[in-house]
Amino acid sequence: QVQLVESGGGLVQAGGSLRLSCAASGRTIMSYGMGWFRQAPGKERVFVAAISSNGGITSYADSVKGRFTISRDNAKNTVYLQMNSLKPEDTAVYLCAGDPRRSYGSSFATYYDYWGQGTQVTVSS
């Protein structure tokens, strides 16, 4: 069983930056596709970014492309999301997810077996 714990969220002004971390424990995630999703109040969970097991393939939602960067350090069993040029519409709970069956990193939430509790990101205007 894998446990995922997100950290790094907080309150930031529009145009600012945050770096989220997702630390995995219980099992190595080095073969897992990993993803970040977000969920705003009253809205569905949506895809933000994904990364392949070796970090060589990344994908992003159009809304964050060019502003967010996903990365991973398999030696530390950790995945990151660097968020720059933040906008108020980026406000949400950000969740990390792990897919043990696919190494490429999917944009489909249903493919992921493991989820963290989430970290709140609030962007003020």
Side-chain angles (χ1 to χ4, degrees):
Q1 193 76 356
V2 171
Q3 292 79 42
L4 302 174
V5 178
E6 302 93 338
S7 62
L11 174 64
V12 63
Q13 288 188 333
S17 298
L18 284 173
R19 188 194 195 204
L20 305 184
S21 298
C22 171
S25 62
R27 189 173 293 179
T28 178
I29 58 169
M30 63 184 301
S31 65
Y32 290 20
M34 298 296 295
W36 284 97
F37 292 77
R38 67 187 182 187
Q39 188 164 17
K43 295 190 176 181
E44 293 184 351
R45 187 172 298 182
V46 298
F47 170 73
V48 175
I51 189 167
S52 62
S53 58
N54 66 358
I57 301 173
T58 59
S59 59
Y60 298 91
D62 287 344
S63 59
V64 307
K65 204 170 291 183
R67 300 188 297 122
F68 290 12
T69 303
I70 188 171
S71 62
R72 65 190 298 162
D73 185 338
N74 284 338
K76 294 183 178 180
N77 229 24
T78 301
V79 179
Y80 305 97
L81 184 68
Q82 177 66 45
M83 306 187 296
N84 299 329
S85 302
L86 283 161
K87 304 175 181 180
E89 51 263 43
D90 294 319
T91 295
V93 173
Y94 283 71
L95 303 108
C96 173
D99 179 2
R101 291 168 290 169
R102 299 167 190 83
S103 63
Y104 59 84
S106 172
S107 62
F108 296 105
T110 54
Y111 283 11
Y112 289 87
D113 289 349
Y114 301 108
W115 291 86
Q117 294 295 315
T119 185
Q120 176 70 46
V121 171
T122 302
V123 185
S124 63
S125 57

